């Protein structure tokens, strides 16, 4: 597992919300669902994404927008159209007066809107859960990024369009994985653009030494890693590895490993049957006490307090 795959494993779609929206102007959706990440793919027509802060962006057919929450934003036929519909947490939709609209605007399998042949059609994929592992990835993304249709070529968008309206056994899981693949494709394409200012950990993946060290740490965080064992695996001296890792990633190898282990632990602790002891073993701490001490030192709270606050 490389570092990008590991980070994407955190926000991996599990029962993600996917919907095809068909709308005729004038329309305006005020999105207040507090979702950590949403993908919007425009199929036809025109749509404007208006963030809470910053300039509105126009989407045209084939464009994809990635909106990082939890701040609210608006999607509308024009940036000046006042909101007519509010999307709440849990993807509950109401009018601005509070009237429920989920049933009245239902147009069939994962399809919703104000007219079956509306001038605008778009697909929306929403990651509803925010995981600790995903935080490093989410913080590397802008609040709103747009991949124009003419800047990349991805067959997954067309496949999503075909599959989103199917109602077959296992379709929800299939769509979850398809959404993940689309997100990976977008992130890779975005980070390759000069204006993206890719995070240091992503740039470091291309380094033959540091990239290998990152993959080792992500692939087996529970291993008893030291700078010496990492250096032996990557074929350089301890001093050379420590220096190069710190230069490229921004922190020493063991500090990065601690952060990665505790992010994993924070995510695992929210699973219903997890105990501090079982999580400690999975992420490389010898006991519940050792994990609790590290968690308290770095995050300021005990694992039990983190779980209660989740």
């Amino acid at each position: 597992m490389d570092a990008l795959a590991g980070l994407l494993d955190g926000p991996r779609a599990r029962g993600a919300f996917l919907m095809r929206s068909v709308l005729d102007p004038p329309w305006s959706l005020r999105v207040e669902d507090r979702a950590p990440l949403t993908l919007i793919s425009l199929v036809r027509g025109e749509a404007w994404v208006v963030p809470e802060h910053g300039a509105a962006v126009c989407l045209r057919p084939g464009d994809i927008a990635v909106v990082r929450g939890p701040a609210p934003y608006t999607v509308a036929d024009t940036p000046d159209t006042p909101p007519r519909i509010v999307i709440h947490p849990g993807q509950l939709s109401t009018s601005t007066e509070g009237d429920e609209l989920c049933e009245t605007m239902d147009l069939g399998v994962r399809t919703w809107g104000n007219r079956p042949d509306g001038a605008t059609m778009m697909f929306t994929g929403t990651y509803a859960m925010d995981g600790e592992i995903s935080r490093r990835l989410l913080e590397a993304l802008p609040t709103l990024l747009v991949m124009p249709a003419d800047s990349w070529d991805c067959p997954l968008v067309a496949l999503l369009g075909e599959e989103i309206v199917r109602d077959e056994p296992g379709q929800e899981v299939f769509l979850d994985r398809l959404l993940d693949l689309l997100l990976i494709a977008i992130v890779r394409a975005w980070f390759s653009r000069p204006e993206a200012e890719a995070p240091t950990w992503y740039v470091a993946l291309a380094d033959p030494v540091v990239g290998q060290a990152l993959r080792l740490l992500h692939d087996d965080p529970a291993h008893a890693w030291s700078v010496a064992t990492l250096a032996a695996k990557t074929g350089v001296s301890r001093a050379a590895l420590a220096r190069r890792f710190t230069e490229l990633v921004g922190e020493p190898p063991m500090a990065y490993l601690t952060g990665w282990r505790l992010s994993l632990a924070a995510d695992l602790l929210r699973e219903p049957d997890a105990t501090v002891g079982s999580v400690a073993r999975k992420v490389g701490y010898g006991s519940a006490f050792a994990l609790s001490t590290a968690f308290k030192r770095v995050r300021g709270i005990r694992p039990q307090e983190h779980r209660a606050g989740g």
Side-chain angles (χ1 to χ4, degrees):
M1 181 189 299
D2 63 33
L4 179 57
L7 290 166
L8 287 169
D9 193 54
R12 187 172 61 202
R14 298 176 179 87
F17 178 81
L18 288 108
M19 181 66 70
R20 181 178 70 165
S21 299
V22 188
L23 300 156
D24 224 26
W27 60 272
S28 180
L29 313 177
R30 178 65 173 172
V31 184
E32 299 179 354
D33 61 2
R34 301 193 60 79
L37 198 68
T38 299
L39 279 61
I40 303 170
S41 174
L42 194 70
V43 180
R44 68 170 183 255
E46 186 175 280
W48 286 81
V49 182
V50 186
E52 187 77 346
H53 304 287
V57 176
C58 181
L59 300 183
R60 294 181 172 85
D63 295 351
I64 295 184
V66 178
V67 186
R68 179 166 61 89
Y73 58 96
T74 300
V75 185
D77 62 323
T78 75
D80 299 323
T81 302
R84 296 165 178 256
I85 298 170
V86 181
I87 309 299
H88 303 274
Q91 301 306 317
L92 173 68
S93 57
T94 70
S95 67
T96 52
E97 293 77 27
D99 299 321
E100 196 273 332
L101 297 175
C102 292
E103 291 188 9
T104 57
M105 297 184 69
D106 186 358
L107 296 177
V109 178
R110 300 185 193 87
T111 304
W112 178 93
N114 60 10
R115 184 173 171 180
D117 58 349
T120 301
M121 179 187 292
M122 60 186 175
F123 303 138
T124 304
T126 301
Y127 286 82
M129 300 300 293
D130 187 6
E132 287 289 331
I133 303 172
S134 70
R135 186 174 299 173
R136 191 183 290 254
L137 172 63
L138 293 175
E139 290 175 351
L141 298 175
T143 302
L144 171 63
L145 74 84
V146 175
M147 295 297 298
D150 59 3
S151 68
W152 72 317
D153 183 21
C154 182
L156 293 170
V157 179
L159 182 57
L160 178 63
E162 295 175 6
E163 296 291 338
I164 199 169
V165 293
R166 291 187 177 178
D167 189 14
E168 299 180 5
Q171 193 69 5
E172 296 289 346
V173 176
F174 182 84
L175 288 170
D176 284 352
R177 300 292 76 76
L178 188 55
L179 183 61
D180 288 336
L181 291 172
L182 181 57
L183 175 59
I184 292 171
I186 292 169
V187 169
R188 291 195 307 194
W190 171 252
F191 283 165
S192 70
R193 297 163 69 100
E195 68 270 26
E197 298 183 357
T200 55
W201 55 261
Y202 184 82
V203 176
L205 287 171
D207 184 83
V209 173
V210 178
Q212 183 181 357
L214 283 168
R215 283 185 281 273
L216 288 167
L217 295 178
H218 278 257
D219 195 44
D220 190 6
H223 184 75
W225 293 109
S226 65
V227 176
T229 56
L230 273 178
K233 289 282 189 180
T234 55
V236 296
S237 69
R238 287 179 293 177
L241 175 64
R243 180 176 62 254
R244 192 165 185 81
F245 194 104
T246 303
E247 288 174 354
L248 294 182
V249 179
E251 58 185 334
M254 294 301 101
Y256 181 90
L257 176 60
T258 296
W260 176 238
R261 284 172 167 172
L262 293 181
S263 289
L264 282 168
D267 220 21
L268 291 170
L269 282 165
R270 290 191 172 128
E271 294 186 357
D273 299 328
T275 65
V276 177
S278 66
V279 170
R281 291 188 293 274
K282 288 180 180 179
V283 301
Y285 287 92
S287 66
F289 177 78
L291 173 60
S292 296
T293 300
F295 209 94
K296 174 72 173 178
R297 183 183 72 250
V298 174
R299 292 171 173 261
I301 59 173
R302 296 180 297 115
Q304 294 87 344
E305 294 171 312
H306 168 78
R307 189 208 299 272

